[in-house]
Amino acid sequence: MSTVSQPANRPEQPPPAAAAGHPAAGTPAPAPDPAGDRHRLTALQGLAALSLDAMASVAYGPEAIVLVLAAAGAHGLGFTLPVTLAIAALLAVLVASYRQVIAAFPNGGGSYAVAKTHLGRRSALVAAASLVLDYILNVAVSVTAGVAALTSAFPALYGDRMWICLAVLVLVTAINLRGIADSARAFLLPTAVFVASILAMIVVGLFRDAPASTITATGHASVLAHNATSVGALLLLKAFASGCSALTGVEAVANAVPSFRAPATRRAQRTEVALGALLGAMLIGLSLLIGRFHLQPVEGVTVLAQLADASLGHNWAFYVVQFATMVLLALAANTSFGGLPVLMGLLARDNYLPHVFGLKADRQVHRHGVLALAAVAAALLVFSGGDVNTLVPLFAIGVFVGFTLCQAGMVRHWYRERSARWIGKALLNGLGAVLTAAAAVVVTATKFTEGAWLIVIALPLLVLAFEAVHRAYARIGDRLGLGRVPEPPRRARSLVVVPVSHLSRLTGEALNAAVSLGDEVIAVTVTYDTPEDRPATEALRRDWELWNPGVDLLELPSPTRSLGRPIADYVADLTARRPEARITVLIPEAEPAHLWQRVLQNQRGAVLARAVRRDTGAVICRLRFRLTPG
């Protein structure tokens, strides 16, 4: 079934129906588009649009380390800095690796693109599924964490936290529908305030010999274990894996390289390096402050709040840090809106997702991917009731799987390419693969009963869904003969059927179009044999004879007052009697001058089109007659 009428101006372009897949490593990026560059990112805007997830993780990454080490008492907290340094070293490995991924895969895709080229189709789908899950969970966790910070400051709002979460999600979605460049400009100031406040807190704190204030922790119970003194390798590994939650979002830049202005590769690499430098500096600085102030985790107060209190004092600067943290946590969802729609577009181009996700609007935004992400995230927020503790156990597992596959794929990339110093690069990526794989196993094992089992189930189900979509497209392509040269076009006699209900300018325009399109035109009208309908039928018959347009009017009786069925049955019968003819059903419709007036329409056109599409193979042409304001 096809629709003849199409809008003249189409801002969205679908991906090729028979796309072969993602380009191999070394494929040049698309040619620059100067007109569209204003809707793309600079390096600084990329830092605001794609790094909020990673930046905001400093609010919970160090705390995750401290909470695990607290099980070994004060002695265990002494290992905060070594564990953080190990995470920073892994961060450096990941940044160096993803910088190479950006250069090798300038069309984006990150872990998915690397795995697809070097590890095979199934590994690529696992990487894609892990990234999809991580991005979706990042939106839900970021929004709930930001709202949790708000309700901590204003407890009266706690009962409405789910609605506040949904309102924040709608706001972030609306901004991203205007384009990633607009979202970057909107989030540039909050990002700058957060980074500046954290760095200022670290610098001031390093010059203090004692905490400036401990008011936030006063009266709160400590979670430090006082009867444990030994620190085992398993505890350190668990602390390392928990702290690695601070690394989520590092891959977002590599996933969204096409969103940058030309030269996209160079700008994306600069953004990746800047992200790694800032994130590493903040993580190490915060761990130094934890050791300097001998901080102990307490119930109901975040580690970051205690550090701000100790460094800056309980004054306006303390509240600036808390407010900036709250805002950035809520807006960290923007990282997913920048990366996931691009990844979904690549999956759609490879026939693993519906092609609608490959459509790109005139502002260079994958709006269908943005809306799908918002819808699933909203469902998660409703499911969790806006409670961050319900979602955190599910978070960050998927990203470690993606990290591991990406690192392993880059090892094979260096082995195949064998460029200068390839052995050292391969060893670096191999070390990263081992470390991220260990983190993935430890996080999954330690959080399995807390909800991680859902990810273990969801990951293979998502891979199976990708493959089901791919098989469906393969069957459709086979039916359509994609890749095969079709037979030469041949002309068939054209027969146009025009449904009418009364005489008007709309009827005249419809017949004008019909006689222009077809060799033969038949006008049909559905009649009802009831006392109240007979006068209208007789009036139409009389007026048609007086008008005498040169087109016969065929009456189709309907005993059940059905509108679509009689016409669909007639078209089906006409197709059976005249198989050599190309039958088109031209449905005239008036288009109101004002949007609100559409509710006044009787929807006859939609009813007829649905019936003919369902029961026949005729071509449907919906003729729009635009009414002028008056």
Side-chain angles (χ1 to χ4, degrees):
M1 183 61 60
S2 62
T3 303
V4 175
S5 60
Q6 294 289 347
N9 184 20
R10 299 179 62 188
E12 298 185 346
Q13 295 298 325
H22 193 279
T27 300
D33 177 16
D37 254 9
R38 65 189 181 93
H39 296 302
R40 301 184 193 272
L41 300 171
T42 64
L44 186 61
Q45 290 173 344
L47 200 61
L50 300 172
S51 66
L52 294 182
D53 177 17
M55 293 291 186
S57 65
V58 302
Y60 49 80
E63 183 161 7
I65 298 172
V66 169
L67 288 175
V68 172
L69 294 177
H75 182 59
L77 291 178
F79 287 86
T80 301
L81 181 58
V83 171
T84 303
L85 289 175
I87 293 172
L90 178 56
L91 172 63
V93 171
L94 290 173
V95 169
S97 173
Y98 276 106
R99 192 174 181 276
Q100 299 300 326
V101 171
I102 290 168
F105 297 88
N107 289 316
S111 302
Y112 169 68
V114 175
K116 182 173 182 292
T117 302
H118 297 296
L119 300 180
R121 182 180 61 86
R122 184 62 60 84
S123 296
L125 294 182
V126 172
S130 66
L131 286 173
V132 168
L133 292 175
D134 178 66
Y135 276 137
I136 293 172
L137 286 168
N138 171 59
V139 173
V141 169
S142 297
V143 171
T144 52
V147 173
L150 176 65
T151 55
S152 297
F154 303 98
L157 299 175
Y158 184 79
D160 299 319
R161 64 191 184 280
M162 187 185 75
W163 297 108
I164 299 174
C165 286
L166 292 175
V168 172
L169 178 61
V170 169
L171 174 64
V172 176
T173 303
I175 293 175
N176 276 275
L177 285 174
R178 290 187 54 82
I180 191 169
D182 283 355
S183 71
R185 284 188 284 270
F187 300 149
L188 196 57
L189 180 60
T191 305
V193 172
F194 176 79
V195 172
S197 62
I198 295 296
L199 293 179
M201 182 183 74
I202 292 171
V203 171
V204 172
L206 290 177
F207 282 97
R208 291 191 183 276
D209 295 325
S213 170
T214 58
I215 293 177
T216 56
T218 302
H220 294 269
S222 173
V223 299
L224 193 68
H226 298 287
N227 57 350
T229 57
S230 62
V231 179
L234 184 59
L235 185 69
L236 291 176
L237 191 60
K238 183 178 179 182
F240 171 80
S242 295
C244 279
S245 61
L247 302 182
T248 58
V250 172
E251 78 291 346
V253 177
N255 289 337
V257 179
S259 298
F260 285 85
R261 293 182 186 177
T265 298
R266 192 177 307 164
R267 291 183 188 274
Q269 287 178 324
R270 290 174 183 170
T271 301
E272 188 72 54
V273 171
L275 168 60
L278 283 173
L279 182 57
M282 289 191 289
L283 289 175
I284 294 173
L286 291 176
S287 83
L288 286 171
L289 292 185
I290 290 171
R292 191 174 187 82
F293 296 136
H294 306 288
L295 182 142
Q296 296 183 9
V298 298
E299 294 180 356
V301 179
T302 65
V303 168
L304 192 63
Q306 292 186 64
L307 290 177
D309 198 22
S311 295
L312 305 173
H314 204 77
N315 50 33
W316 63 269
F318 168 81
Y319 287 102
V320 167
V321 173
Q322 292 303 101
F323 184 75
T325 303
M326 176 195 72
V327 172
L328 204 76
L329 277 169
L331 298 182
N334 195 67
T335 298
S336 296
F337 282 100
L340 182 57
V342 176
L343 175 63
M344 294 175 74
L346 292 177
L347 287 167
R349 192 178 69 178
D350 292 343
N351 295 332
Y352 290 112
L353 278 180
H355 287 170
V356 68
F357 292 113
L359 297 175
K360 186 180 287 188
D362 53 0
R363 287 179 173 268
Q364 301 300 316
V365 57
H366 294 81
R367 62 175 56 163
H368 296 92
V370 169
L371 292 173
L373 172 58
V376 177
L380 275 177
L381 290 174
V382 173
F383 165 76
S384 66
D387 183 14
V388 67
N389 294 322
T390 305
L391 298 168
V392 166
L394 311 178
F395 191 45
I397 296 174
V399 75
F400 288 136
V401 175
F403 281 161
T404 303
L405 290 171
C406 185
Q407 298 286 314
M410 289 306 292
V411 171
R412 295 199 66 179
H413 171 75
W414 298 127
Y415 179 77
R416 290 176 176 177
E417 189 178 85
R418 297 186 181 236
S419 58
R421 299 187 297 276
W422 73 271
I423 295 179
K425 295 176 181 177
L427 288 174
L428 188 65
N429 290 130
L431 175 63
V434 171
L435 293 176
T436 53
V441 171
V442 172
V443 172
T444 303
T446 55
K447 296 184 177 181
F448 188 82
T449 57
E450 300 176 32
W453 60 271
L454 284 172
I455 302 300
V456 175
I457 294 175
L459 192 62
L461 287 179
L462 195 53
V463 171
L464 292 175
F466 289 156
E467 293 187 327
V469 172
H470 194 268
R471 286 194 299 270
Y473 273 125
R475 288 193 295 268
I476 293 171
D478 184 64
R479 295 285 183 89
L480 294 176
L482 293 177
R484 298 193 296 268
V485 178
E487 296 179 0
R490 61 183 185 277
R491 192 183 189 285
R493 182 171 178 79
S494 178
L495 195 159
V496 181
V497 177
V498 183
V500 298
S501 59
H502 54 268
L503 287 188
S504 64
R505 285 184 60 192
L506 180 62
T507 308
E509 290 293 332
L511 290 186
N512 286 338
V515 296
S516 301
L517 290 172
D519 300 312
E520 181 181 351
V521 177
I522 301 175
V524 296
T525 185
V526 178
T527 61
Y528 310 111
D529 190 19
T530 59
E532 62 269 23
D533 291 311
R534 285 178 196 142
T537 301
E538 292 171 357
L540 176 60
R541 187 184 302 127
R542 182 179 62 253
D543 292 344
W544 195 274
E545 291 175 355
L546 291 173
W547 182 33
N548 191 21
V551 175
D552 293 334
L553 177 64
L554 179 65
E555 298 182 8
L556 303 176
S558 175
T560 60
R561 298 193 63 82
S562 172
L563 176 66
R565 173 66 66 180
I567 294 178
D569 289 344
Y570 172 73
V571 172
D573 179 66
L574 197 60
T575 303
R577 288 189 288 108
R578 303 180 61 174
E580 77 290 348
R582 173 68 67 182
I583 299 176
T584 299
V585 179
L586 190 148
I587 303 173
E589 296 177 278
E591 185 172 301
H594 303 288
L595 184 63
W596 68 268
Q597 292 176 336
R598 293 186 180 181
V599 300
L600 306 178
Q601 291 180 289
N602 55 26
Q603 304 303 320
R604 288 172 57 92
V607 171
L608 289 174
R610 187 163 51 248
V612 174
R613 182 183 299 112
R614 183 183 61 241
D615 299 329
T616 76
V619 176
I620 297 175
C621 174
R622 299 179 70 172
L623 175 68
R624 306 282 184 173
F625 181 72
R626 296 186 176 181
L627 303 176
T628 57

